[in-house]
Amino acid sequence: MSTKIKQKLPKWFHGELYKKGATVRNRFSGEEYELNNVELSMYDFVIGSTIVLEMAGGYKHADVNELRKGLDWFRQNNAKAYMVLLD
């Protein structure tokens, strides 16, 4: 019998929860990884946060803190996807 662990987004996450997952490609290495809907929602949050922080030039502590929380969430919930897409 297989036990499926249902991932949940943390309470601090205020992004969109997608209905479907997708295959995502690492923008630097080209490696791909299949993400479920919850992982894809967090992935887009992390990438969006990274881009905003890079463009802003100055960093707000709260923005950096949420980005770190998103990366930590990924490490804990799908370490392999983290290594392929975000490390």
Side-chain angles (χ1 to χ4, degrees):
M1 184 175 1
S2 173
T3 305
K4 189 172 184 178
I5 298 172
K6 184 164 175 107
Q7 293 172 319
K8 291 185 180 181
L9 291 166
K11 290 183 181 190
W12 58 263
F13 180 85
H14 298 290
E16 181 179 352
L17 174 58
Y18 300 140
K19 292 182 181 182
K20 294 182 180 182
T23 301
V24 177
R25 182 180 307 221
N26 180 302
R27 60 186 179 158
F28 301 110
S29 72
E31 277 188 273
E32 294 183 340
Y33 201 90
E34 183 73 28
L35 300 178
N36 65 35
N37 66 316
V38 175
E39 294 164 343
L40 183 61
S41 299
M42 184 61 78
Y43 174 81
D44 279 356
F45 171 81
V46 167
I47 294 300
S49 296
T50 301
I51 291 169
V52 167
L53 289 171
E54 288 172 354
M55 292 176 66
Y59 303 120
K60 291 183 197 172
H61 179 70
D63 295 336
V64 173
N65 192 34
E66 286 203 350
L67 172 58
R68 286 185 181 148
K69 286 183 193 178
L71 292 169
D72 289 343
W73 182 94
F74 239 99
R75 276 190 217 96
Q76 293 171 359
N77 286 274
N78 192 336
K80 187 171 180 182
Y82 173 83
M83 294 299 290
V84 170
L85 299 171
L86 299 167
D87 190 35

